Amino acid sequence: MKSFDRKIREVRNKRLLLAIIVLIIAFIIFVLGIVEIVPKNIDYEEFNKNEKISNYAKSKIYYLIGPVLEVKDQKDKSNILGYYIASGEEGLFIIRLNENNIEIPILGKDIEKDATDTLEGIEVYGSVELSSYSLRDTLYERLNNLLNDNIVNDESFDKVFGGYYLDTVPDVKNNGIKLFILSGFFAIIGILYILINKHIRSNVNECLKELKEKGELEKVIEEFDNSKLIEYRSLQVYLSPSYIFSYGLGVDVISFNDIQEVTVSKNDINNRDKNKYIVITTKDNRQYYIAPIRRKKQKVIFNELLTKIKTIIE
């Protein structure tokens, strides 16, 4: 059995639970964002050019050969990134470095071949990256041009340089910033839902206040609780013998005796709300927009409700 008080509580809480859930999600994402930007202690494993043991690795390098390939930093065009052949404890492998900040001696530029045995080596740190097909194809071409031969292919490249390279200038992923933006998006939605709920509560309180001032509140409650209501759930409307109960974004209780005219709203190009409504004008010239059509399949039930209301007031 339907209860007026229960229905009022239900309408008052509309969007509130959803707002709380959305704000909780926003808070969780915000916390994840904080966790993401907090500096972390990174464990660097020894670099292995044939296997990815960890996302981050270190390696002692004696000298560099190259650059084999140069590219511009996508985030800072003034920085040139170079792909070099590194000679270190791991043997020969590919490394990517910022050419504006290279401390490792380059063969033929900073040091000659006969002096490489005297080098102590410099330990470098970076992320372990799989050599992509596009990168490998470019490196094959550059290396074959340097050697004046077509001896570099998949098999020989993997055998000498391995399948992974050490990237000392990895792309910084602003996951923390992205999470903060996402958190803000959810927070805005949650706040909007709270504002909608506030508007709904204000509407409900105003409706109850008016009914009480007219001395009709007890009668309305009794009819809602004890009468056989006709329910139009998809249109958020109840009909009792004496009243129309609309419970969309708030509550409107309209007495059939007070209705002066019943029409249907026309689509207005300048109006963002494209829904079609039943417009009820009362004898005190107040207008109520009820039973919005949001889907085409509601049209039949909309017309049924419209006919029922017109029949009752005639």
Side-chain angles (χ1 to χ4, degrees):
M1 185 177 178
K2 295 177 178 64
S3 163
F4 185 78
D5 289 340
R6 186 184 303 168
K7 193 64 186 180
I8 290 297
R9 287 197 299 272
E10 179 186 313
V11 175
R12 273 182 172 152
N13 292 328
K14 188 173 289 186
R15 302 286 196 279
L16 184 59
L17 178 59
L18 186 58
I20 293 171
I21 292 172
V22 171
L23 288 175
I24 289 173
I25 293 173
F27 177 73
I28 293 172
I29 295 175
F30 181 77
V31 171
L32 292 175
I34 293 176
V35 171
E36 188 68 27
I37 64 172
V38 171
K40 303 175 182 66
N41 292 324
I42 298 175
D43 294 326
Y44 289 91
E45 301 290 340
E46 289 297 328
F47 177 66
N48 186 326
K49 63 184 179 182
N50 297 308
E51 183 181 0
K52 189 174 183 177
I53 300 172
S54 172
N55 289 328
Y56 300 96
K58 60 183 178 180
S59 184
K60 182 176 285 189
I61 298 175
Y62 299 110
Y63 62 88
L64 302 172
I65 302 172
V68 181
L69 173 65
E70 292 178 308
V71 295
K72 286 185 177 180
D73 190 340
Q74 294 299 314
K75 294 184 178 180
D76 186 355
K77 300 297 183 181
S78 63
N79 285 338
I80 302 298
L81 308 180
Y83 289 84
Y84 289 80
I85 297 172
S87 177
E89 293 184 343
E90 175 65 8
L92 297 178
F93 60 90
I94 301 298
I95 186 171
R96 187 169 81 151
L97 298 156
N98 186 336
E99 294 200 348
N100 296 331
N101 187 29
I102 295 178
E103 298 179 356
I104 308 167
I106 300 173
L107 188 65
K109 178 183 178 182
D110 303 313
I111 193 170
E112 298 301 324
K113 181 64 178 176
D114 55 5
T116 57
D117 292 338
T118 63
L119 298 173
E120 296 182 359
I122 297 174
E123 194 163 59
V124 296
Y125 300 81
S127 64
V128 181
E129 302 293 341
L130 179 66
S131 300
S132 65
Y133 288 114
S134 59
L135 174 62
R136 290 167 71 102
D137 286 342
T138 305
L139 291 176
Y140 295 167
E141 182 181 349
R142 295 297 177 88
L143 288 170
N144 283 326
N145 287 337
L146 289 173
L147 298 171
N148 291 320
D149 203 342
N150 289 323
I151 61 174
V152 180
N153 51 40
D154 279 336
E155 183 179 353
S156 60
F157 186 90
D158 284 340
K159 186 175 181 180
V160 177
F161 301 113
Y164 295 87
Y165 69 93
L166 188 61
D167 191 355
T168 64
V169 281
D171 295 330
V172 179
K173 298 178 180 179
N174 293 322
N175 291 330
I177 301 299
K178 292 177 182 177
L179 288 171
F180 286 141
I181 293 172
L182 186 60
S183 173
F185 173 75
F186 276 98
I188 290 171
I189 292 176
I191 292 170
L192 287 175
Y193 280 138
I194 287 178
L195 292 176
I196 291 171
N197 177 263
K198 184 178 179 181
H199 171 75
I200 291 172
R201 285 174 175 264
S202 176
N203 175 278
V204 171
N205 293 337
E206 186 65 28
C207 178
L208 296 179
K209 180 182 176 182
E210 285 187 15
L211 290 172
K212 191 172 183 179
E213 289 175 350
K214 291 179 181 179
E216 289 189 57
L217 183 57
E218 294 301 324
K219 181 182 176 182
V220 167
I221 294 173
E222 182 179 354
E223 181 148 336
F224 189 96
D225 292 350
N226 300 325
S227 298
K228 187 176 181 181
L229 301 175
I230 303 174
E231 182 177 4
Y232 297 86
R233 184 187 298 272
S234 64
L235 300 176
Q236 299 178 307
V237 171
Y238 290 113
L239 294 185
S240 74
S242 304
Y243 296 98
I244 299 171
F245 298 91
S246 174
Y247 56 95
L249 293 178
V251 172
D252 290 313
V253 180
I254 309 162
S255 172
F256 284 116
N257 293 330
D258 292 338
I259 297 176
Q260 178 176 290
E261 184 183 23
V262 178
T263 57
V264 175
S265 65
K266 296 180 181 179
N267 290 332
D268 186 351
I269 296 176
N270 297 321
N271 191 351
R272 292 183 180 180
D273 188 350
K274 301 302 180 182
N275 295 325
K276 194 174 185 179
Y277 294 85
I278 294 175
V279 183
I280 296 177
T281 305
T282 57
K283 293 174 183 177
D284 57 358
N285 291 321
R286 293 178 65 176
Q287 284 190 330
Y288 298 87
Y289 287 74
I290 68 170
I293 294 182
R294 295 185 174 90
R295 296 180 296 275
K296 286 186 177 180
K297 64 181 181 179
Q298 292 178 312
K299 188 174 181 180
V300 174
I301 195 72
F302 179 90
N303 290 332
E304 179 186 323
L305 174 61
L306 178 63
T307 302
K308 184 72 174 177
I309 293 173
K310 285 185 175 182
T311 301
I312 293 174
I313 65 174
E314 287 177 356

